[in-house]
Amino acid sequence: MALYATAASVLAGVESRRGSIKGLVYASSFQNVKQLYALVCETQRYSSVLDAVITSAGLLRAEKKLRPHLAKVLVYELLLGKGFKGGSGGRWKPLLDRHQARLKAELARLKVHRGVSKNEDLLQVESKPGPASQVPRFVRVNTLKTCCDDAVDYFKRQGFSYQGRASSLEDLRALKGKCFLLDPLLPELLVFPAQTDLHDHPLYQAGHLILQDKPRACSACQASCLPAVLLAPPPGSHVIDACAAPGNKTSHLAALLKNQGKIFAFDLDAGRLASMATLLARAGVSCCELAEEDFLAISPSDQRYRQRLVYSTCSLCQEENEDVVRDALQQNSGTFRLVPVLPSWPHRGLGTFPGAERCLRASPETTLTGGFFVAVLERVEVPSSVSRAEAPAPPPEAAPRRKRRRRAAAPGVPPGTEQEGKR
């Protein structure tokens, strides 16, 4: 069945750092995105358990043509998932049937060895989780459809305990059970304990909540609230979303704009744009224009695209972050400046050039988030008394660069217009 082969491909891509689960799921051609995403997430969650069972059962030694990632997905479905019902297992069901008794016996032996009785309990006795697995669940309230107070009241009626606005990272670390907080820095951002699953929650399914992290490591698509908040476009602005799919940041920008203005959302992948259109419709976004186009091929001198930009990546590599910002400032000397933002943010840019501390970094260890980088650049206004001859000359128009996932947006939008570049 295509589901299992696609899930195996996504797992392999995640492990080889080609992208995040969500990004690779949306980039796949599989129609039921929710089903695929759930299967991959659960298989990855039980990854070490499945590895132990598969190794003990000798499955890969017995079935030479069975690839490790596909084996992991199939064994998850057989032992921990919904099982192969009807023809759902396709040609793999007879193969798994031959090893079913041995696999189940090895799972039972593992539970006895670890002193647990339930499959879920196997996760509790794994080695101590790393910082990334302790990142809380951040949930943005979609103000196009509801308000923060109403969302909080809804959760309280469901038995959740609202603890108010957090005052420090320690408050976030202490979250347990059905407690939740308001983020200490970002508005309309609710914080739940790590591993809280809200995919089936009615507010999420109705588009009132966006499962959008503050930021989290990913490839092009994983959501972060910081870029939109730091861009802070007022209603009526024109905003460029340089590599937009699957659309969480775009919906956040629309909420900040109150659907007043225009968002030009670029992405090269038609399938991801189609999924993005569905997400934006559910979120109530009406001010967005989608374009299946390479933003880096757009002319920097186009008058639609100037003024202010946010450059963000889901990387902690200096070469992709501080070095890019430094080079951009040098190449546009006197045209742009780094804007100091969020002075209380604890993790700043590496001191590789003067002013780099105005950039923001994030990591599980320092900010209880995934790895991330953000810089806000603003066009320097030339005083009207300065003659054209004295004003900084505009940078020469460079040939388009084709590296698909770089989010450095080019200068160039009428006053009052913002743009966002993100990774």
Side-chain angles (χ1 to χ4, degrees):
M1 185 182 180
L3 169 64
Y4 302 123
T6 307
S9 177
V10 171
L11 277 177
V14 171
E15 290 187 13
S16 62
R17 299 181 181 274
R18 293 201 303 270
S20 67
I21 292 179
K22 188 174 289 186
L24 294 172
V25 165
Y26 275 96
S28 74
S29 58
F30 194 76
Q31 188 172 7
N32 193 332
V33 171
K34 184 177 179 180
Q35 182 187 23
L36 176 60
Y37 183 77
L39 176 59
V40 174
C41 286
E42 286 301 294
T43 302
Q44 189 182 58
R45 192 161 74 104
Y46 280 96
S47 180
S48 61
V49 173
L50 294 167
D51 283 338
V53 170
I54 289 170
T55 300
S56 299
L59 179 62
L60 297 179
R61 292 195 305 272
E63 303 292 343
K64 302 293 186 183
K65 294 183 179 180
L66 185 60
R67 298 292 87 197
H69 293 101
L70 180 57
K72 193 177 293 188
V73 171
L74 294 171
V75 172
Y76 168 81
E77 189 77 317
L78 175 69
L79 300 181
L80 306 170
K82 297 179 180 179
F84 301 117
K85 298 177 181 178
S88 65
R91 66 190 181 94
W92 299 111
K93 186 177 184 301
L95 183 150
L96 268 294
D97 283 345
R98 294 199 296 270
H99 300 276
Q100 183 174 170
R102 182 64 183 273
L103 289 166
K104 288 184 176 179
E106 292 300 334
L107 177 62
R109 185 176 290 110
L110 183 63
K111 286 193 282 189
V112 170
H113 176 71
R114 296 186 178 182
V116 300
S117 58
K118 298 179 181 178
N119 294 334
E120 186 78 17
D121 294 339
L122 287 168
L123 301 176
Q124 306 302 319
V125 295
E126 292 289 293
S127 58
K128 186 177 180 180
S133 66
Q134 300 173 36
V135 172
R137 161 58 72 185
F138 295 95
V139 179
R140 179 170 62 82
V141 177
N142 180 13
T143 54
L144 292 177
K145 286 200 165 185
T146 188
C147 66
C148 197
D149 288 343
D150 287 351
V152 168
D153 287 342
Y154 192 98
F155 278 108
K156 287 164 69 174
R157 290 196 300 270
Q158 287 192 315
F160 285 82
S161 175
Y162 178 55
Q163 307 292 305
R165 183 179 292 277
S167 59
S168 67
L169 290 179
E170 293 306 316
D171 291 343
L172 305 188
R173 286 192 179 95
L175 275 176
K176 294 180 180 179
K178 297 188 74 173
C179 296
F180 71 108
L181 293 157
L182 190 63
D183 187 80
L185 292 176
L186 304 183
E188 287 90 38
L189 194 63
L190 304 179
V191 191
F192 292 81
Q195 311 303 325
T196 301
D197 187 0
L198 297 173
H199 286 88
D200 293 326
H201 195 279
L203 289 185
Y204 168 70
Q205 295 184 339
H208 291 212
L209 299 179
I210 307 293
L211 304 186
Q212 180 167 358
D213 289 351
K214 177 196 77 172
R216 182 167 179 166
C218 63
S219 68
C221 69
Q222 183 66 2
S224 163
C225 289
L226 275 177
V229 169
L230 296 181
L231 187 67
S237 299
H238 286 185
V239 181
I240 308 303
D241 199 346
C243 198
N248 282 324
K249 289 189 182 73
T250 316
S251 70
H252 194 182
L253 289 165
L256 294 175
L257 292 173
K258 300 180 180 178
N259 265 338
Q260 301 169 25
K262 195 74 173 179
I263 301 173
F264 299 95
F266 292 82
D267 204 276
L268 283 170
D269 191 303
R272 284 164 60 85
L273 281 176
S275 298
M276 178 177 174
T278 301
L279 182 151
L280 295 181
R282 185 176 66 190
V285 174
S286 60
C287 64
C288 185
E289 180 181 306
L290 302 183
E292 186 185 341
E293 199 171 347
D294 185 355
F295 178 73
L296 296 180
I298 300 300
S299 170
S301 61
D302 191 316
Q303 287 298 299
R304 292 180 298 171
Y305 313 137
R306 29 177 296 226
Q307 189 74 12
R308 191 183 203 207
L309 65 88
V310 171
Y311 175 73
S312 65
T313 75
C314 49
S315 165
L316 291 180
C317 296
Q318 176 186 321
E319 294 83 359
E320 294 187 80
N321 299 326
E322 287 86 358
D323 289 359
V324 170
V325 174
R326 179 202 61 207
D327 292 348
L329 290 171
Q330 289 177 352
Q331 292 167 17
N332 297 275
S333 179
T335 306
F336 281 87
R337 69 182 183 94
L338 261 177
V339 180
V341 291
L342 284 184
S344 59
W345 190 262
H347 196 179
R348 316 303 297 190
L350 302 178
T352 57
F353 65 91
E357 70 281 355
R358 294 180 175 181
C359 304
L360 304 185
R361 280 177 163 261
S363 68
E365 297 83 0
T366 60
T367 55
L368 275 186
T369 66
F372 215 78
F373 174 87
V374 187
V376 181
L377 294 96
E378 194 169 62
R379 181 176 289 275
V380 176
E381 295 294 335
V382 179
S384 57
S385 59
V386 178
S387 68
R388 286 183 177 272
E390 296 171 319
E397 184 172 328
R401 294 168 57 196
R402 292 290 179 177
K403 188 172 181 180
R404 288 181 54 175
R405 293 306 177 198
R406 176 72 67 197
R407 275 13 181 221
V413 179
T417 304
E418 278 80 71
Q419 72 184 28
E420 177 195 4
K422 66 183 191 305
R423 182 180 176 103

